[in-house]
Amino acid sequence: MSRFLIVEARFYSHLNDMLIAGAKGVLEAEGHDVDVITVPGALEIPAAIALATEAERYDGYVAIGVVIRGETYHFEIVAGESARGIMALTMDGIAIGNGILTVENEEQAIVRADPSQKDKGGEAAKAALALLDLQDKFAAAE
Ligand SMILES: Nc1c(NC[C@H](O)[C@H](O)[C@H](O)CO)[nH]c(=O)[nH]c1=O
Ligand SMILES: CC(=O)[C@@H](O)COP(=O)(O)O
């Protein structure tokens, strides 16, 4: 049993509820413990994970959020920088699955958030599990 922290940017509640259901469904089905914390937006997710790692309470993380394009360049910043921050943390050896949707409209988001459709929340949980498995394999080989 491993301990996972879902860090969600609750910008669109109904979409996050589906993404979290998908992520929790995967993790809890394999008997893992799951906590959830909430930050204002996707840009705060990497920092929240970095802060959580200092507590050394969790084995893996799932980032959950939805970024929907608006009228300005801000979409590129929020989408790109949240992904870059998460990638930097994974390159530091932290097992994180990225379940932040970056989409053009709500219709695209619903299809990807819905666990019975594209289930991107569940996919992100599976990615975190895969990285944790790799950590365990390499640690065992030492
Ligand atoms: N427009 C969206 C945001 N914007 C907020 C930023 O993520 C951040 O919280 C703010 O710039 C303060 O630092 N966040 C999302 O998660 N989704 C969006 O569509
Ligand atoms: C992704 C965003 O930051 C977006 O929701 C903000 O909308 P706008 O670009 O119209 O200010």
Side-chain angles (χ1 to χ4, degrees):
M1 182 273 293
S2 298
R3 297 164 303 179
F4 284 84
L5 180 66
I6 295 175
V7 181
E8 62 141 0
R10 189 156 280 262
F11 223 73
Y12 303 95
S13 283
H14 64 300
L15 297 171
N16 273 35
D17 288 344
M18 288 193 280
L19 287 164
I20 290 170
K24 275 190 166 182
V26 167
L27 295 172
E28 292 175 343
E30 293 197 14
H32 301 300
D33 277 346
V34 185
D35 289 336
V36 181
I37 62 167
T38 301
V39 295
L43 284 182
E44 283 75 46
I45 290 179
I49 292 173
L51 289 170
T53 60
E54 290 172 14
E56 295 185 342
R57 280 186 54 191
Y58 298 101
D59 305 296
Y61 301 83
V62 181
I64 292 292
V66 179
V67 186
I68 299 178
R69 187 183 297 278
E71 297 173 350
T72 71
Y73 186 74
H74 199 225
F75 171 87
E76 276 71 17
I77 296 298
V78 176
E81 290 303 296
S82 59
R84 188 177 63 80
I86 289 167
M87 187 59 70
L89 292 168
T90 60
M91 298 302 285
D92 258 352
I94 301 167
I96 308 172
N98 187 344
I100 301 173
L101 303 184
T102 54
V103 294
E104 299 300 326
N105 53 55
E106 180 167 0
E107 180 184 1
Q108 289 181 351
I110 290 169
V111 168
R112 287 151 182 83
D114 187 345
S116 66
Q117 296 189 66
K118 288 183 181 280
D119 192 22
K120 293 303 183 181
E123 276 189 22
K126 289 174 184 174
L129 284 167
L131 287 174
L132 199 54
D133 284 348
L134 276 179
Q135 280 183 13
D136 294 343
K137 283 186 175 64
F138 292 135
E142 284 180 351

